[in-house]
Tab-separated table of all heavy atoms in Angstrom:
chain	number	residue	atom	x	y	z
A	25	PRO	N	41.045	65.103	19.523
A	25	PRO	CA	39.711	65.205	20.143
A	25	PRO	C	39.421	66.550	20.800
A	25	PRO	O	38.278	66.833	21.147
A	25	PRO	CB	39.714	64.078	21.179
A	25	PRO	CG	41.128	63.764	21.416
A	25	PRO	CD	41.847	64.048	20.144
A	26	GLN	N	40.425	67.371	20.988
A	26	GLN	CA	40.157	68.714	21.514
A	26	GLN	C	39.833	69.703	20.409
A	26	GLN	O	39.065	70.637	20.615
A	26	GLN	CB	41.375	69.208	22.309
A	26	GLN	CG	41.532	68.551	23.652
A	26	GLN	CD	42.738	69.063	24.417
A	26	GLN	OE1	43.719	69.518	23.843
A	26	GLN	NE2	42.689	68.974	25.743
A	27	MET	N	40.366	69.501	19.208
A	27	MET	CA	40.247	70.530	18.177
A	27	MET	C	39.060	70.336	17.241
A	27	MET	O	38.534	71.295	16.700
A	27	MET	CB	41.528	70.594	17.337
A	27	MET	CG	41.681	69.476	16.337
A	27	MET	SD	43.187	69.649	15.342
A	27	MET	CE	42.960	68.297	14.171
A	28	ILE	N	38.607	69.094	17.048
A	28	ILE	CA	37.608	68.855	16.003
A	28	ILE	C	36.228	69.383	16.401
A	28	ILE	O	35.840	69.353	17.569
A	28	ILE	CB	37.546	67.372	15.602
A	28	ILE	CG1	37.406	66.471	16.827
A	28	ILE	CG2	38.792	66.998	14.800
A	28	ILE	CD1	37.383	64.986	16.503
A	29	THR	N	35.485	69.859	15.399
A	29	THR	CA	34.255	70.610	15.663
A	29	THR	C	33.158	69.786	16.312
A	29	THR	O	32.301	70.335	17.003
A	29	THR	CB	33.700	71.218	14.363
A	29	THR	OG1	33.430	70.164	13.428
A	29	THR	CG2	34.680	72.201	13.745
A	30	ASN	N	33.142	68.467	16.115
A	30	ASN	CA	32.054	67.661	16.656
A	30	ASN	C	32.181	67.399	18.149
A	30	ASN	O	31.291	66.795	18.755
A	30	ASN	CB	31.984	66.314	15.934
A	30	ASN	CG	33.178	65.431	16.264
A	30	ASN	OD1	34.325	65.813	16.018
A	30	ASN	ND2	32.932	64.255	16.814
A	31	MET	N	33.286	67.870	18.766
A	31	MET	CA	33.491	67.546	20.170
A	31	MET	C	32.594	68.332	21.129
A	31	MET	O	32.499	67.976	22.308
A	31	MET	CB	34.956	67.693	20.545
A	31	MET	CG	35.763	66.472	20.162
A	31	MET	SD	35.126	64.976	20.985
A	31	MET	CE	35.875	63.715	19.953
A	32	ALA	N	31.945	69.377	20.671
A	32	ALA	CA	30.915	69.996	21.507
A	32	ALA	C	29.759	69.008	21.663
A	32	ALA	O	29.339	68.688	22.782
A	32	ALA	CB	30.430	71.302	20.892
A	33	ALA	N	29.272	68.492	20.542
A	33	ALA	CA	28.193	67.505	20.585
A	33	ALA	C	28.640	66.238	21.308
A	33	ALA	O	27.898	65.676	22.123
A	33	ALA	CB	27.727	67.172	19.167
A	34	GLY	N	29.860	65.774	21.018
A	34	GLY	CA	30.350	64.552	21.642
A	34	GLY	C	30.411	64.661	23.152
A	34	GLY	O	29.979	63.750	23.882
A	35	ASN	N	30.940	65.766	23.651
A	35	ASN	CA	31.037	65.941	25.096
A	35	ASN	C	29.678	66.115	25.746
A	35	ASN	O	29.473	65.662	26.883
A	35	ASN	CB	31.954	67.125	25.420
A	35	ASN	CG	33.419	66.738	25.398
A	35	ASN	OD1	33.878	65.924	26.202
A	35	ASN	ND2	34.164	67.302	24.457
A	36	ILE	N	28.746	66.758	25.052
A	36	ILE	CA	27.390	66.888	25.592
A	36	ILE	C	26.765	65.505	25.780
A	36	ILE	O	26.184	65.199	26.826
A	36	ILE	CB	26.514	67.764	24.676
A	36	ILE	CG1	26.932	69.235	24.793
A	36	ILE	CG2	25.032	67.613	25.026
A	36	ILE	CD1	26.319	70.133	23.743
A	37	THR	N	26.884	64.652	24.777
A	37	THR	CA	26.269	63.318	24.887
A	37	THR	C	26.886	62.522	26.028
A	37	THR	O	26.189	61.812	26.756
A	37	THR	CB	26.399	62.533	23.569
A	37	THR	OG1	27.782	62.326	23.251
A	37	THR	CG2	25.722	63.262	22.424
A	38	ILE	N	28.194	62.650	26.205
A	38	ILE	CA	28.884	61.931	27.287
A	38	ILE	C	28.454	62.462	28.646
A	38	ILE	O	28.152	61.696	29.574
A	38	ILE	CB	30.402	62.044	27.111
A	38	ILE	CG1	30.855	61.282	25.861
A	38	ILE	CG2	31.145	61.515	28.341
A	38	ILE	CD1	32.274	61.611	25.416
A	39	GLN	N	28.420	63.778	28.792
A	39	GLN	CA	28.097	64.397	30.077
A	39	GLN	C	26.662	64.114	30.519
A	39	GLN	O	26.384	63.998	31.710
A	39	GLN	CB	28.322	65.904	30.006
A	39	GLN	CG	29.773	66.323	29.862
A	39	GLN	CD	30.581	66.105	31.121
A	39	GLN	OE1	30.141	66.414	32.213
A	39	GLN	NE2	31.779	65.563	30.969
A	40	PHE	N	25.732	64.015	29.551
A	40	PHE	CA	24.314	63.915	29.914
A	40	PHE	C	23.681	62.576	29.550
A	40	PHE	O	22.478	62.405	29.701
A	40	PHE	CB	23.535	65.075	29.285
A	40	PHE	CG	24.015	66.420	29.764
A	40	PHE	CD1	24.956	67.140	29.052
A	40	PHE	CD2	23.559	66.942	30.967
A	40	PHE	CE1	25.423	68.369	29.504
A	40	PHE	CE2	24.010	68.167	31.437
A	40	PHE	CZ	24.952	68.882	30.708
A	41	GLY	N	24.477	61.619	29.077
A	41	GLY	CA	23.952	60.278	28.805
A	41	GLY	C	23.015	60.207	27.623
A	41	GLY	O	22.076	59.401	27.598
A	42	ILE	N	23.258	61.020	26.613
A	42	ILE	CA	22.411	61.061	25.411
A	42	ILE	C	22.905	60.030	24.412
A	42	ILE	O	24.063	60.046	23.999
A	42	ILE	CB	22.452	62.473	24.795
A	42	ILE	CG1	21.814	63.470	25.750
A	42	ILE	CG2	21.789	62.497	23.421
A	42	ILE	CD1	22.089	64.920	25.403
A	43	LYS	N	22.027	59.114	23.982
A	43	LYS	CA	22.449	58.022	23.112
A	43	LYS	C	21.729	57.987	21.767
A	43	LYS	O	21.937	57.083	20.956
A	43	LYS	CB	22.252	56.689	23.830
A	43	LYS	CG	23.125	56.556	25.082
A	43	LYS	CD	22.983	55.191	25.732
A	43	LYS	CE	23.900	55.069	26.950
A	43	LYS	NZ	23.777	53.722	27.587
A	44	GLY	N	20.875	58.988	21.506
A	44	GLY	CA	20.193	59.043	20.221
A	44	GLY	C	21.054	59.703	19.168
A	44	GLY	O	22.276	59.855	19.323
A	45	LYS	N	20.438	60.102	18.089
A	45	LYS	CA	21.124	60.762	16.974
A	45	LYS	C	21.973	61.921	17.485
A	45	LYS	O	21.491	62.804	18.192
A	45	LYS	CB	20.068	61.282	15.998
A	45	LYS	CG	20.588	62.044	14.800
A	45	LYS	CD	19.391	62.460	13.943
A	45	LYS	CE	19.824	63.146	12.673
A	45	LYS	NZ	18.647	63.493	11.834
A	46	SER	N	23.255	61.932	17.113
A	46	SER	CA	24.149	63.008	17.535
A	46	SER	C	24.958	63.470	16.329
A	46	SER	O	25.745	62.699	15.777
A	46	SER	CB	25.090	62.525	18.646
A	46	SER	OG	26.003	63.551	19.007
A	47	ILE	N	24.761	64.719	15.929
A	47	ILE	CA	25.435	65.243	14.741
A	47	ILE	C	25.944	66.660	14.990
A	47	ILE	O	25.504	67.338	15.912
A	47	ILE	CB	24.520	65.222	13.491
A	47	ILE	CG1	23.222	65.992	13.748
A	47	ILE	CG2	24.215	63.796	13.067
A	47	ILE	CD1	22.322	66.092	12.525
A	48	ASN	N	26.869	67.062	14.137
A	48	ASN	CA	27.490	68.379	14.217
A	48	ASN	C	27.482	68.974	12.816
A	48	ASN	O	28.209	68.513	11.942
A	48	ASN	CB	28.922	68.226	14.734
A	48	ASN	CG	29.808	69.402	14.358
A	48	ASN	OD1	29.537	70.534	14.717
A	48	ASN	ND2	30.881	69.122	13.623
A	49	ILE	N	26.637	69.959	12.606
A	49	ILE	CA	26.580	70.628	11.302
A	49	ILE	C	27.443	71.877	11.386
A	49	ILE	O	27.233	72.726	12.246
A	49	ILE	CB	25.134	70.993	10.931
A	49	ILE	CG1	24.288	69.723	10.827
A	49	ILE	CG2	25.084	71.794	9.639
A	49	ILE	CD1	22.808	69.972	10.870
A	50	ALA	N	28.437	71.972	10.527
A	50	ALA	CA	29.358	73.110	10.529
A	50	ALA	C	29.189	73.897	9.245
A	50	ALA	O	29.665	73.487	8.189
A	50	ALA	CB	30.799	72.635	10.682
A	51	THR	N	28.479	75.005	9.323
A	51	THR	CA	28.259	75.869	8.160
A	51	THR	C	28.631	77.305	8.513
A	51	THR	O	27.873	78.247	8.278
A	51	THR	CB	26.789	75.808	7.686
A	51	THR	OG1	25.913	75.948	8.815
A	51	THR	CG2	26.487	74.497	6.983
A	52	ALA	N	29.826	77.433	9.103
A	52	ALA	CA	30.344	78.755	9.443
A	52	ALA	C	29.302	79.532	10.246
A	52	ALA	O	28.792	79.042	11.246
A	52	ALA	CB	30.785	79.495	8.192
A	53	CYS	N	28.944	80.732	9.775
A	53	CYS	CA	28.083	81.633	10.549
A	53	CYS	C	26.619	81.190	10.599
A	53	CYS	O	25.826	81.777	11.337
A	53	CYS	CB	28.167	83.047	9.975
A	53	CYS	SG	29.860	83.609	9.739
A	54	ALA	N	26.251	80.169	9.827
A	54	ALA	CA	24.882	79.651	9.864
A	54	ALA	C	24.770	78.395	10.715
A	54	ALA	O	23.689	77.807	10.826
A	54	ALA	CB	24.396	79.358	8.441
A	55	THR	N	25.872	77.984	11.325
A	55	THR	CA	25.926	76.727	12.079
A	55	THR	C	24.822	76.605	13.120
A	55	THR	O	24.106	75.601	13.173
A	55	THR	CB	27.301	76.585	12.756
A	55	THR	OG1	28.308	76.450	11.741
A	55	THR	CG2	27.355	75.393	13.678
A	56	GLY	N	24.678	77.591	13.988
A	56	GLY	CA	23.711	77.503	15.070
A	56	GLY	C	22.289	77.321	14.568
A	56	GLY	O	21.535	76.476	15.077
A	57	THR	N	21.920	78.086	13.552
A	57	THR	CA	20.555	78.000	13.027
A	57	THR	C	20.321	76.688	12.296
A	57	THR	O	19.263	76.063	12.425
A	57	THR	CB	20.268	79.197	12.110
A	57	THR	OG1	20.442	80.401	12.861
A	57	THR	CG2	18.850	79.162	11.561
A	58	HIS	N	21.316	76.237	11.519
A	58	HIS	CA	21.165	74.949	10.841
A	58	HIS	C	21.009	73.807	11.843
A	58	HIS	O	20.210	72.883	11.630
A	58	HIS	CB	22.378	74.678	9.946
A	58	HIS	CG	22.262	75.273	8.580
A	58	HIS	ND1	23.280	75.964	7.975
A	58	HIS	CD2	21.243	75.275	7.678
A	58	HIS	CE1	22.904	76.372	6.779
A	58	HIS	NE2	21.665	75.970	6.583
A	59	ASN	N	21.763	73.841	12.928
A	59	ASN	CA	21.652	72.768	13.914
A	59	ASN	C	20.290	72.753	14.586
A	59	ASN	O	19.706	71.685	14.798
A	59	ASN	CB	22.774	72.890	14.951
A	59	ASN	CG	24.077	72.296	14.455
A	59	ASN	OD1	24.316	71.094	14.580
A	59	ASN	ND2	24.925	73.113	13.873
A	60	ILE	N	19.757	73.921	14.920
A	60	ILE	CA	18.417	73.969	15.512
A	60	ILE	C	17.376	73.518	14.484
A	60	ILE	O	16.454	72.767	14.800
A	60	ILE	CB	18.112	75.373	16.047
A	60	ILE	CG1	19.050	75.702	17.216
A	60	ILE	CG2	16.655	75.482	16.495
A	60	ILE	CD1	18.976	77.141	17.702
A	61	GLY	N	17.538	73.957	13.243
A	61	GLY	CA	16.604	73.555	12.191
A	61	GLY	C	16.600	72.060	11.944
A	61	GLY	O	15.542	71.431	11.788
A	62	GLU	N	17.788	71.465	11.889
A	62	GLU	CA	17.859	70.021	11.635
A	62	GLU	C	17.390	69.220	12.846
A	62	GLU	O	16.844	68.122	12.694
A	62	GLU	CB	19.281	69.637	11.230
A	62	GLU	CG	19.745	70.233	9.907
A	62	GLU	CD	18.868	69.844	8.719
A	62	GLU	OE1	18.380	68.691	8.676
A	62	GLU	OE2	18.649	70.713	7.836
A	63	ALA	N	17.574	69.742	14.045
A	63	ALA	CA	17.024	69.092	15.232
A	63	ALA	C	15.492	69.124	15.189
A	63	ALA	O	14.811	68.144	15.545
A	63	ALA	CB	17.533	69.781	16.494
A	64	PHE	N	14.954	70.250	14.765
A	64	PHE	CA	13.505	70.402	14.557
A	64	PHE	C	12.990	69.335	13.589
A	64	PHE	O	11.999	68.647	13.863
A	64	PHE	CB	13.257	71.820	14.036
A	64	PHE	CG	11.927	72.101	13.427
A	64	PHE	CD1	10.752	71.942	14.141
A	64	PHE	CD2	11.844	72.584	12.117
A	64	PHE	CE1	9.508	72.242	13.570
A	64	PHE	CE2	10.621	72.885	11.541
A	64	PHE	CZ	9.446	72.707	12.267
A	65	ARG	N	13.673	69.165	12.470
A	65	ARG	CA	13.284	68.150	11.488
A	65	ARG	C	13.371	66.745	12.083
A	65	ARG	O	12.517	65.883	11.816
A	65	ARG	CB	14.207	68.222	10.269
A	65	ARG	CG	13.946	69.388	9.357
A	65	ARG	CD	12.776	69.102	8.407
A	65	ARG	NE	12.658	70.210	7.474
A	65	ARG	CZ	11.835	71.238	7.627
A	65	ARG	NH1	11.034	71.298	8.689
A	65	ARG	NH2	11.785	72.202	6.736
A	66	THR	N	14.403	66.495	12.863
A	66	THR	CA	14.594	65.170	13.468
A	66	THR	C	13.399	64.782	14.328
A	66	THR	O	12.914	63.642	14.268
A	66	THR	CB	15.876	65.162	14.322
A	66	THR	OG1	17.014	65.330	13.453
A	66	THR	CG2	16.032	63.857	15.093
């Protein structure tokens, strides 16, 4: 649970009580933009 990439999202949801859709898109150097884009679509 410390090494896997989704634990940034997982810990955010735990810390702030977020219970909706929670995903982790890992596309190397495009990760940040893809995550904002997919959140926009959501």
Side-chain angles (χ1 to χ4, degrees):
Q26 286 180 333
M27 76 178 186
I28 51 182
T29 59
N30 69 301
M31 278 301 162
N35 277 296
I36 287 169
T37 62
I38 293 166
Q39 292 289 316
F40 299 94
I42 295 166
K43 296 184 178 181
K45 178 179 184 178
S46 177
I47 56 176
N48 158 60
I49 299 163
T51 47
C53 310
T55 294
T57 301
H58 274 134
N59 278 274
I60 294 172
E62 295 301 323
F64 165 59
R65 285 279 185 264
T66 294

